[in-house]
Amino acid sequence: MRTWKRLFSCLLAGAMALSLAACGGNDSGATDGQTQEQAAPPADTGADTAAPETSGEETTAESGNVLVAYYSATGNTENIANYIAQATGGDLFEITPAEPYTSDDLNWSDENSRVSREYADESLRDVELTTTEVENWDSYDTVFIGYPIWWGIAAWPVDGFVEAN
Ligand SMILES: Cc1cc2nc3c(=O)[nH]c(=O)nc-3n(C[C@H](O)[C@H](O)[C@H](O)COP(=O)(O)O)c2cc1C
């Protein structure tokens, strides 16, 4: 079993290109302190950022065994997670709410939508997940965590995964 573990928390909002160098260089840990408040979130672009053909051999040697855990409601974070997993040779773990968010649930411009109600009342943000257990968790040296930004903070379905692990 490894005696140390580094946890990189990388904001993966939208089609934002996330540089591995930027994440790898920040050993201070979580970066979810993004304070940018935004009344009207940008429209989802559904960007099709297919993972390129790359070898993860060099980065794997530096980062050890890599896990890329992510929550993605509309696919953007998933695309970036695939990209990082491919570039690092890492394993993927999808964080999935027991009750997935529908497009109506995600309608931030409707104050009665699920996500708007959860945003307005923090006590509603404890989202049940299908599982938080990662097989062979102790074998990972580096864990990337990807999530969308919702109203300037990490989308809360990721919280239960972080707390459990
Ligand atoms: C409810 C909601 C709130 C959002 N709030 C923000 C925000 O404050 N700032 C921002 O840049 N994008 C915001 N967005 C846009 C998402 O972060 C962006 O579309 C992201 O790529 C979605 O990732 P996903 O496809 O993996 O779910 C918001 C989207 C939703 C659905």
Side-chain angles (χ1 to χ4, degrees):
M1 184 190 302
R2 310 279 181 174
T3 54
W4 57 273
K5 183 174 292 172
R6 288 187 297 165
L7 185 68
F8 291 122
S9 178
C10 303
L11 296 181
L12 301 177
M16 179 173 68
L18 183 67
S19 138
L20 282 176
C23 288
N26 179 8
D27 276 347
S28 61
T31 57
D32 59 353
Q34 180 165 329
T35 53
Q36 172 200 1
E37 286 293 332
Q38 187 167 320
D44 197 305
T45 60
D48 55 338
T49 49
E53 302 280 329
T54 56
S55 157
E57 282 171 27
E58 300 106 19
T59 41
T60 302
E62 288 168 17
S63 312
N65 213 11
V66 172
L67 178 72
V68 183
Y70 68 93
Y71 167 63
S72 183
T74 57
N76 294 329
T77 311
E78 182 172 46
N79 283 333
I80 305 298
N82 285 335
Y83 190 37
I84 293 173
Q86 199 159 358
T88 60
D91 297 330
L92 285 160
F93 179 88
E94 183 175 8
I95 298 163
T96 45
E99 190 187 334
Y101 287 76
T102 65
S103 51
D104 282 347
D105 288 341
L106 293 169
N107 186 355
W108 49 265
S109 62
D110 173 3
E111 65 180 20
N112 293 313
S113 72
R114 176 181 175 189
V115 82
S116 293
R117 283 184 281 108
E118 291 170 349
Y119 177 59
D121 180 353
E122 205 171 334
S123 72
L124 300 177
R125 294 186 206 164
D126 191 9
V127 177
E128 186 191 341
L129 302 175
T130 55
T131 181
T132 57
E133 262 179 57
V134 178
E135 218 175 303
N136 302 320
W137 170 258
D138 287 338
S139 71
Y140 292 105
D141 303 294
T142 302
V143 179
F144 290 88
I145 303 180
Y147 43 81
I149 295 298
W150 286 354
W151 282 287
I153 60 173
W156 37 92
V158 84
D159 293 352
F161 175 84
V162 174
E163 283 159 15
N165 290 292

